[in-house]
Structure formats: structure tokens, C-alpha cells
Amino acid sequence: MKTILAGIAASLALTSLSVAHAADYSVQVKSPQRYHLVEQDFYNFKNTYQLTNGQKIAFSARMDHYYAQLDNGERIRIYPVSRTAFVTDSGARFEFLDQGETVGIASFEKLPLAGNLPANTMVMAHR
């Protein structure tokens, strides 16, 4: 009986030890809260925009998935965080203004083909 109790106590001690050490090495990852947007609400944004730096960016949608494509680069997925704001996995942020006539892009340097730009570069674009 003492052997069984000693075994249970030892296993509990080892279990709590690993939990205590896991807390030391845990990492908390925060992602932006996603917003449900239906494709028809994206209608005013599906267009090609001329950026102030001379490049072009196009926005498209397919089955409630939304995309941005800078020049002839790869199409990247964007996620709605509000009715007029979107983010990429890399952290670039798009904000549509004036019923989609204008778009501001924060952290532009995080987009493919953006070039070697300083952190937190802001670019504006118009239809």
C-alpha cells in the first residue's frame, strides 16, 4: 500500500513540475479579431488603385475570401477586421475611405514587391 501511495505522489509531483516549467516557456500569440464580411459588402473595394509611389494595387474577392495584389506580384489574402479595414498575415493594414475611392496602407513595407522601405511606411492610393 505504501508503495502505491509513493508511486501516486511521485507521479503527481512530476506532473506538477512539468506544468510549472511549461509556464516558464509558454508564448502568448495575439491575432487581430476577425470581422465577418459578406462578399457584396466588398463590392466598392474591388478595383485597381494607383499608389502615391507609382505602383498599383488591386483588390479582389472570391467566396468570402479577400485578396490584394501589388503590381504583378503574388496575390495575398487579407482579413477583414471591420467593414472598411483589413489586415494581412504579415501585418500590413488597409483602410478604405470615401466609399472605396481611397485606401490607406499602413506597414506597406510588409507587402510583397513593396521594396526596401523603413518600418511603418504609410502609403495612400486612389482609384
Side-chain angles (χ1 to χ4, degrees):
M1 183 71 164
K2 286 183 181 181
T3 308
I4 293 173
L5 290 175
I8 292 172
S11 65
L12 288 174
L14 290 174
T15 303
S16 63
L17 180 64
S18 63
V19 170
H21 285 298
D24 292 340
Y25 298 107
S26 64
V27 176
Q28 187 177 23
V29 177
K30 293 183 180 182
S31 65
Q33 180 146 357
R34 302 293 161 92
Y35 176 86
H36 179 71
L37 184 77
V38 292
E39 190 172 347
Q40 60 259 33
D41 291 339
F42 193 75
Y43 178 79
N44 286 338
F45 310 142
K46 290 193 301 186
N47 214 320
T48 300
Y49 294 78
Q50 183 71 41
L51 293 137
T52 54
N53 69 358
Q55 292 180 291
K56 291 182 181 179
I57 190 162
F59 294 94
S60 59
R62 183 170 181 184
M63 297 178 58
D64 293 337
H65 289 155
Y66 308 100
Y67 302 94
Q69 182 177 9
L70 186 60
D71 290 333
N72 291 324
E74 68 178 281
R75 188 174 71 155
I76 57 170
R77 186 144 179 219
I78 59 176
Y79 303 93
V81 292
S82 78
R83 198 175 79 60
T84 59
F86 298 80
V87 295
T88 65
D89 286 328
S90 64
R93 182 178 174 90
F94 305 91
E95 181 80 35
F96 290 92
L97 308 165
D98 306 323
Q99 287 82 37
E101 290 295 319
T102 305
V103 62
I105 306 170
S107 297
F108 180 76
E109 75 281 356
K110 295 180 178 180
L111 295 176
L113 296 182
N116 191 12
L117 298 169
N120 301 318
T121 298
M122 178 76 170
V123 177
M124 297 297 292
H126 302 281
R127 284 195 223 193

